Amino acid sequence: IYTLSLHDALPILCGHYARVNATKFDDLLPRDFAIEFNPLLRRLTGRITYGWKLIELSLWHFRQYGLGDAEQTLEHEMLHLFLHVLGKPSGHNALFKQAARELGIRVFHANPYPKNRATRHRYVYECPACGRMAFRKRADARNAIACGVCCRLQADGAWDARFAMRLIEKVRFA
């Protein structure tokens, strides 16, 4: 079985961008958008960041479903860009879905893929001021979690380091 490498896929996807821009979007899309594979995308097949002029495609989905799927995802992201260029709302709204239907672009993929398994751990945090406890699925090493009640009552709702939650323990569920 021949598998297309990332090195070979990107020029093909850039060519696809140019062709679809000409045939479906009247050459209105900017030519300076980069297309990259993102190894961190798993739930999303792709995303667009207008400020960075970047379209990212899921490396995981590319490896699972191939170039054709990546091209469909690219066209989806291009439709977001098209509506953005026109100054229209570019989310998955009725306008987006209607345009997708008219242009033959899929809105959502139906690829089967294993769901990420829920972690078996919970992290228990405590507010140093009031002692309230909070449970999180992920550990936060940056101390970015603060007690919402204390911040609202004593800091006008703003994050305050005095109320940064401290990790108390990691609990394992069966």
Side-chain angles (χ1 to χ4, degrees):
I1 296 175
Y2 172 72
T3 308
L4 191 64
S5 74
L6 299 181
H7 179 73
D8 294 336
L10 284 174
I12 293 170
L13 290 167
C14 289
H16 188 72
Y17 179 97
R19 277 188 305 284
V20 171
N21 188 14
T23 59
K24 294 187 179 184
F25 300 113
D26 298 325
D27 250 343
L28 291 174
L29 302 184
R31 293 190 165 103
D32 58 349
F33 262 70
I35 300 168
E36 295 178 3
F37 284 106
N38 184 330
L40 302 178
L41 293 182
R42 174 96 183 239
R43 271 185 75 102
L44 301 174
T45 56
R47 70 179 175 193
I48 185 166
T49 307
Y50 304 113
W52 292 348
K53 296 184 176 186
L54 176 64
I55 295 175
E56 296 173 284
L57 303 174
S58 166
L59 177 58
W60 189 89
H61 279 267
F62 172 72
R63 287 185 173 148
Q64 290 293 317
Y65 302 110
L67 181 64
D69 190 73
E71 288 174 336
Q72 289 180 22
T73 300
L74 177 60
E75 289 184 24
H76 174 105
E77 300 308 324
M78 291 172 73
L79 179 54
H80 285 296
L81 180 57
F82 178 68
L83 293 173
H84 179 77
V85 165
L86 295 179
K88 298 184 179 192
S90 60
H92 295 136
N93 55 32
L95 177 63
F96 182 91
K97 291 174 184 174
Q98 177 188 349
R101 216 174 10 263
E102 291 171 2
L103 296 170
I105 295 172
R106 74 175 186 201
V107 177
F108 300 108
H109 72 85
N111 298 335
Y113 62 96
K115 303 286 186 206
N116 293 336
R117 282 177 265 156
T119 177
R120 293 179 169 224
H121 296 94
R122 296 295 182 268
Y123 298 88
V124 183
Y125 290 88
E126 182 179 43
C127 174
C130 70
R132 281 187 181 84
M133 301 185 91
F135 297 86
R136 296 289 181 267
K137 290 182 181 177
R138 286 185 236 165
D140 192 325
R142 300 167 295 138
N143 282 337
I145 302 170
C147 178
V149 174
C150 289
C151 287
R152 277 190 296 280
L153 293 175
Q154 299 179 46
D156 293 323
W159 188 91
D160 191 312
R162 295 176 296 164
F163 312 117
M165 304 289 269
R166 281 186 252 156
L167 179 62
I168 301 300
E169 68 178 305
K170 180 178 177 180
V171 180
R172 180 174 164 81
F173 292 101

